[in-house]
Amino acid sequence: MSEAAVGAPATRFWFPGASVWRQGNWILRAALIVGLGLVLITLAAPLIAPFDPTDQSLISRLRPPLGFERYKDGYLLGTDELGRDILTRCIYGLRLTFALALAGAVIGLLIGGTLGLVSGIAGGRTDDAIMGLVDAQIAIPMTLVALLILSVFGSTIEVIVFVLGLYGWEQFARILRAEVKKLKQMPFVEAARAAGAAPLRIALRHILPNVVSPMVVQFTLNFSNIVIWESTLSFLGLGVQPPTATLGSMVGTGRDYLPTAPWIVLAPAMTILLLTFAVQILGDWLRDRADVRLRSR
Amino acid sequence: MTETVLKVTDLKVAFGQFEAVKGLSLELRERETLALVGESGSGKSATALSILRLIEREGGRIAGGNIRLAQNGNFLDLAALPEDRLAGLRGNQVSMVFQEPMTSLNPVLTIGDQVSEVFVRHRGMTRKDAHRAAGQALDEVRIPEPGRRLGQYPHELSGGLRQRVMIAMALACRPKLLIADEPTTALDVTTQAEILKLIKTLQAEIGMAVLFITHDMGVVAEIADRVAVLKSGTKVEEADVFDLFQRPEAPYSRRLMAATPKLGEGSRVGAAGSETVLSVEGLSTRFQSRKRLFASREAGVLAVDNVSIRVRKGETLGLVGESGCGKSTLARSILRLIEPECGRVEIGGNVLSGLPAKDLRSSRKHAQMVFQDPFASLNPRLPVRDLVTEPARIHGVVKAGDLRDFAASLVTRVGLEEDAIDRFPHQFSGGQRQRLCIARALSVSPKLIIADEAVSALDVSIARQITDLMLDLQLRDGLSFLFISHDIAVVERISHRIAVMYKGRIVETGPCEEVLRQPKHAYTQRLLDAVPSPDPERRRLAMPAAGLEKIAV
């Protein structure tokens, strides 16, 4: 045995998530590979996409992927009903979906998180008012509100991001409020009060770090839901407007060709699956990571 | 000649790789009470749960040995019995009473439903007969108005009554063996005394064997015939209760005895100063029962009722009383963690009453608090260096650059190693965490520390170390303590004076000796009578005639 094997590893390649790789099991490693792969694809979309996502070619429409009869050279995953390359559209669709879902989930986290934190800490009238808002959000069918907003302000990217951000914030608010209310009763928070800590210090130092775990979990759930919700909006014709591709809209339009050309739906659907899988598994790891009680083991 | 009911040989219980019980052998006879004593982690509860094979539900398994239960002249090995036959034994021949009377009853079923269930299950009675039998069972455990109780839900009953219901259910089928796992630990001393007496009386009536699990040597002395002392999963000593208390053989038993606080043992407190550190006058705190639009101010419960106390420099005032008497509310009202209704509080010359929020926060450095649950009173996400120095940081006592050195000096003052400062709370034991809580309190050099049941959640030997630490700090730094506890023996060890609280009022206050020797108030007398004394020669709880009969072992 060499000396190096005893101490710290002599060579340690560093890449984003190196520690995940070392600590994780195979499923976490798979999620890491998928996640990093998707991020790289997103960043390098114009470089790696073989075609332009909106280039149509009606002669070569509805061609199947590689390995099937009538496969057309260069169109690895086949073409859609307008003869556009599905691989290219998946890459660009992933890019947009990723960005939209991330933005939407972050906005939801910020709105819901802040309101939940304030609601839980302040209590009383403020709490009643914010929870009233949450109840209203739950009671009103969100799709109708989204339809209204999108048809009034138009389906620009900014408006879509705003609408997606409205989705699911009430869940953040509810979970955070419940956690905060529980934590407020904990002796260590009372100890901080008894030590003379100001409310802001208690919120930032004692309560916030202890609600990271449920927030991360809710974030990953919300992220996946927004991906699906975005495709719902696209399907209703109010999402990102064609010919721009998002994974959701690709699934939506491919639906009509499902019996004859299933690859139109399969490719974006698999991409959605991979994306949400990676986000959920990595989110789960992040939650454990945020907990010092689990870290030292 | 009494026959053997239970014979445990070489029992091994494991949780994963960890062996909690390492080859334990016990024998229990009819009408006999065997106490299983030990500190937390000694394997006493694991043993109890193994006998009913409930250990598998807790994630453990029986790794070896036999558990034989007498059955019609033969022995039945419970360790090897299939699950469906075990279910017929549980609650029938062997039954169990648990520690938490608050959570061992199903909150959505009436008492009658739950008790009659036992009769339906094991006696095959009809619902109607079972209900009548349940009424008798409640009567047997001396529950007043059993007929009315049958229709009530668990939350309508007090802790003591709930524990009686649990006992009624356990004894409904006249078991041969009753396993009682810390059945009185969650109860007040006066209630504990009643429950112990009840178990003893019913044992005499039914003739069952009792396996009594406890950490409290006082309870052992009151109830046991024989005692098995456990430590880390092995039996270090088994002896007749009289022999054990007079001549403990194993060094560990001796240590355990020595650590047990005994009432009337006196204390080793130093002389108190004359300067008043804490002065509370006419403090009252009311809990509003419910927010109502037109509720008068007088509505709600007066948790603290016109309390006046005084603590001098270097003095410890022990505050005793049962749960719900308002001790903790008083502590919180003094620091204005709960807003009192009226009254005046002065700590070290600073009047806290009527201060605006900002000034209140800065004057909180004169008094610090130590809480009961060492596992919940430290923020799990912060390293020790930040935890213990937090009050000092808040009040600007220490500069950011000196933080590490300051943290190190604090933890060494409470008897921990310096390298503790970079660890997290979960890496410490309960006793060590309580030391950290004290270190945190010391960081702002307060004049007064309010310790709210600070040692109640700890094992006796650890509790003794913590109270010793408090005494040392007091002797060295002239600290004053308001020491709140339900355990009078612990309070006696550490206090100069005692205040007895009952239903929100201080009913008696005076020097430690005086209050304990010549209690003036009837409630103090009642409280003192209920304290179990760790001396089997002087059992305080009146024993029923039949129960006094000594069993030849």
Side-chain angles (χ1 to χ4, degrees):
Chain A
M1 282 297 274
S2 67
E3 286 275 285
V6 183
T11 48
R12 183 184 280 178
F13 294 107
W14 191 90
F15 61 95
S19 59
V20 191
W21 189 263
R22 279 196 299 277
Q23 296 165 14
N25 53 11
W26 67 269
I27 199 158
L28 186 61
R29 290 178 179 184
L32 187 69
I33 291 173
V34 171
L36 284 175
L38 292 178
V39 169
L40 281 180
I41 291 171
T42 306
L43 293 176
L47 299 175
I48 55 170
F51 298 94
D52 187 280
T54 54
D55 263 1
Q56 303 182 7
S57 162
L58 292 176
I59 321 162
S60 49
R61 61 194 288 265
L62 298 174
R63 292 300 186 95
L66 179 65
F68 289 87
E69 210 182 330
R70 291 185 61 235
Y71 164 71
K72 186 175 177 184
D73 260 357
Y75 294 84
L76 281 177
L77 295 179
T79 61
D80 66 4
E81 75 283 2
L82 293 173
R84 294 173 296 197
D85 180 38
I86 288 185
L87 178 62
T88 307
R89 285 182 69 77
C90 267
I91 291 172
Y92 279 92
L94 170 70
R95 189 183 203 187
L96 196 54
T97 299
F98 206 151
L100 284 176
L102 201 62
V106 168
I107 293 172
L109 173 71
L110 289 180
I111 300 178
T114 314
L115 287 179
L117 197 62
V118 170
S119 187
I121 290 177
R125 293 247 168 88
T126 321
D127 185 24
D128 291 346
I130 293 174
M131 282 302 114
L133 209 59
V134 166
D135 289 342
Q137 168 82 19
I138 293 165
I140 298 168
M142 202 44 210
T143 318
L144 285 183
V145 176
L147 290 181
L148 186 71
I149 295 175
L150 287 169
S151 48
V152 169
F153 297 99
S155 294
T156 62
I157 291 288
E158 291 85 353
V159 178
I160 290 172
V161 165
F162 173 73
V163 167
L164 294 178
L166 279 186
Y167 184 84
W169 69 265
E170 77 279 2
Q171 311 247 8
F172 285 110
R174 279 203 154 176
I175 293 173
L176 200 55
R177 173 178 175 268
E179 282 291 313
V180 168
K181 282 207 165 270
K182 192 181 79 189
L183 283 167
K184 256 171 69 177
Q185 304 298 320
M186 292 292 282
F188 71 80
V189 172
E190 200 173 20
R193 282 220 301 144
L200 192 65
R201 185 187 179 90
I202 292 176
L204 295 182
R205 203 168 164 77
H206 294 287
I207 291 184
L208 208 53
N210 282 293
V211 295
V212 169
S213 298
M215 284 298 100
V216 168
V217 173
Q218 182 56 35
F219 183 86
T220 59
L221 291 176
N222 198 31
F223 183 93
S224 316
N225 284 338
I226 286 181
V227 171
I228 292 159
W229 206 55
E230 187 274 325
S231 64
T232 313
L233 292 181
S234 293
F235 182 70
L236 291 169
L238 286 159
V240 177
Q241 293 303 301
T244 313
T246 69
L247 294 175
S249 67
M250 288 173 72
V251 173
T253 52
R255 198 187 61 137
D256 296 338
Y257 298 89
L258 204 53
T260 51
W263 58 87
I264 300 181
V265 169
L266 272 180
M270 287 303 291
T271 317
I272 291 179
L273 194 71
L274 287 177
L275 180 62
T276 51
F277 160 77
V279 168
Q280 303 244 351
I281 299 292
L282 291 175
D284 202 39
W285 172 82
L286 199 64
R287 184 198 57 184
D288 291 351
R289 181 76 194 155
D291 195 334
V292 289
R293 282 163 294 191
L294 299 171
R295 200 191 291 168
S296 60
R297 281 172 209 155
Chain B
M1 184 64 194
T2 55
E3 57 181 281
T4 304
V5 173
L6 181 78
K7 210 180 214 170
V8 176
T9 35
D10 200 27
L11 177 70
K12 291 190 178 76
V13 181
F15 290 91
Q17 291 302 307
F18 174 71
E19 204 164 59
V21 180
K22 302 162 186 158
L24 182 74
S25 300
L26 294 171
E27 205 177 318
L28 207 64
R29 290 164 177 279
E30 232 173 29
R31 293 180 180 277
E32 184 187 39
T33 302
L34 173 67
L36 222 49
V37 193
E39 304 200 325
S40 50
S42 61
K44 52 191 198 302
S45 281
T47 307
L49 289 170
S50 300
I51 293 172
L52 275 177
R53 287 267 300 280
L54 293 169
I55 194 78
E56 282 136 47
R57 289 185 40 200
E58 306 282 323
R61 68 196 152 81
I62 297 175
N66 297 314
I67 301 165
R68 277 175 300 197
L69 182 75
Q71 181 114 20
N72 312 325
N74 289 318
F75 281 100
L76 207 60
D77 189 2
L78 298 182
L81 213 60
E83 183 62 35
D84 56 330
R85 288 194 59 197
L86 277 168
L89 288 177
R90 291 184 191 134
N92 189 7
Q93 304 219 13
V94 185
S95 51
M96 192 151 175
V97 178
F98 296 91
Q99 173 173 354
E100 248 341 305
M102 300 296 155
T103 51
S104 333
L105 287 169
N106 186 338
V108 298
L109 294 179
T110 61
I111 300 298
D113 286 342
Q114 300 189 51
V115 180
S116 56
E117 176 73 33
V118 184
F119 293 104
V120 175
R121 170 77 182 78
H122 293 297
R123 290 285 177 269
M125 288 188 189
T126 60
R127 282 267 153 215
K128 214 174 143 201
D129 290 344
H131 209 70
R132 199 172 312 121
Q136 283 166 10
L138 293 191
D139 192 42
E140 231 163 51
V141 293
R142 280 67 167 173
I143 290 179
E145 301 176 79
R148 192 164 66 88
R149 304 292 176 194
L150 286 175
Q152 286 185 319
Y153 288 90
H155 72 268
E156 296 175 79
L157 270 51
S158 68
L161 278 183
R162 280 185 232 196
Q163 201 59 301
R164 280 172 193 254
V165 172
M166 289 302 298
I167 294 171
M169 285 167 73
L171 299 185
C173 292
R174 299 285 182 258
K176 285 188 210 144
L177 172 63
L178 175 72
I179 302 169
D181 188 1
E182 305 260 12
T184 58
T185 307
L187 305 173
D188 287 321
V189 274
T190 48
T191 320
Q192 164 171 293
E194 289 164 14
I195 295 289
L196 291 180
K197 198 167 159 184
L198 178 73
I199 292 178
K200 205 77 195 162
T201 313
L202 293 172
Q203 181 180 27
E205 284 174 19
I206 298 172
M208 71 214 168
V210 176
L211 183 63
F212 199 99
I213 289 136
T214 183
H215 67 281
D216 188 334
M217 293 310 272
V219 171
V220 172
E222 293 287 355
I223 198 161
D225 299 314
R226 268 187 315 126
V227 187
V229 183
L230 298 192
K231 183 179 187 277
S232 333
T234 36
K235 185 167 72 179
V236 295
E237 183 167 1
E238 183 175 343
D240 183 89
V241 67
F242 296 96
D243 293 342
L244 182 81
F245 277 85
Q246 270 155 25
R247 297 176 297 277
E249 302 256 320
Y252 178 72
S253 314
R254 258 179 262 150
R255 275 213 305 281
L256 203 61
M257 296 288 183
T260 305
K262 293 169 195 69
L263 197 61
E265 203 182 33
S267 58
R268 59 175 193 89
V269 292
S274 54
E275 176 194 341
T276 299
V277 167
L278 169 74
S279 137
V280 176
E281 279 162 39
L283 193 72
S284 294
T285 304
R286 186 184 299 275
F287 282 134
Q288 231 65 38
S289 54
R290 195 166 293 162
K291 266 190 280 179
R292 243 179 277 129
L293 201 52
F294 299 108
S296 69
R297 256 185 86 71
E298 299 308 307
V301 187
L302 211 50
V304 175
D305 189 357
N306 195 15
V307 166
S308 302
I309 50 174
R310 201 170 276 272
V311 183
R312 285 171 297 164
K313 188 173 163 54
E315 184 188 50
T316 301
L317 176 67
L319 185 64
V320 294
E322 303 198 333
S323 58
C325 75
K327 312 187 288 288
S328 293
T329 310
L330 174 60
R332 282 161 179 75
S333 303
I334 289 173
L335 293 178
R336 278 182 65 193
L337 292 169
I338 297 174
E339 207 54 51
E341 191 173 74
C342 60
R344 186 172 178 282
V345 177
E346 192 179 325
I347 298 172
N350 300 272
V351 182
L352 257 63
S353 314
L355 277 186
K358 197 157 171 291
D359 301 334
L360 172 68
R361 282 204 291 275
S362 63
S363 58
R364 276 191 177 144
K365 76 169 177 209
H366 301 298
Q368 290 290 303
M369 202 157 166
V370 176
F371 296 87
Q372 170 169 10
D373 185 353
F375 289 88
S377 48
L378 294 169
N379 185 343
R381 304 269 166 150
L382 291 181
V384 164
R385 59 175 183 278
D386 289 342
L387 284 171
V388 295
T389 55
E390 181 165 31
R393 290 260 295 274
I394 292 168
H395 296 290
V397 179
V398 62
K399 283 198 286 284
D402 306 331
L403 204 78
R404 290 188 63 89
D405 291 340
F406 185 56
S409 74
L410 282 174
V411 295
T412 45
R413 265 180 85 189
V414 294
L416 292 174
E417 295 293 323
E418 246 179 64
D419 61 10
I421 61 169
D422 289 324
R423 288 152 71 192
F424 285 91
H426 68 270
Q427 293 164 306
F428 294 90
S429 68
Q432 288 173 323
R433 286 179 198 215
Q434 209 56 300
R435 285 174 190 267
L436 290 176
C437 291
I438 293 172
R440 174 171 65 186
L442 291 176
S443 73
V444 281
S445 322
K447 299 189 172 78
L448 172 77
I449 290 182
I450 298 180
D452 185 7
E453 301 273 8
V455 299
S456 306
L458 306 173
D459 281 327
V460 276
S461 60
I462 308 293
R464 189 150 190 124
Q465 289 168 17
I466 297 292
T467 49
D468 282 347
L469 172 70
M470 289 175 156
L471 285 171
D472 290 343
L473 289 169
Q474 182 167 60
L475 289 175
R476 205 167 50 196
D477 307 332
L479 263 173
S480 305
F481 285 99
L482 176 60
F483 189 89
I484 300 172
S485 181
H486 67 280
D487 189 338
I488 302 170
V490 173
V491 169
E492 186 199 16
R493 247 179 67 69
I494 193 171
S495 307
H496 297 81
R497 287 187 305 129
I498 287 185
V500 182
M501 199 163 178
Y502 181 58
K503 291 187 174 168
R505 292 166 186 270
I506 301 284
V507 293
E508 182 163 0
T509 173
C512 208
E513 282 261 305
E514 210 177 292
V515 173
L516 297 180
R517 298 258 183 286
Q518 296 124 19
K520 291 190 186 74
H521 196 274
Y523 175 72
T524 315
Q525 183 64 55
R526 195 146 66 86
L527 205 59
L528 288 171
D529 286 344
V531 176
S533 81
D535 181 0
E537 304 280 0
R538 294 192 310 167
R539 291 191 171 173
R540 283 158 179 259
L541 314 176
M543 288 302 156
L548 285 173
E549 191 183 292
K550 189 106 177 8
I551 294 134
V553 181

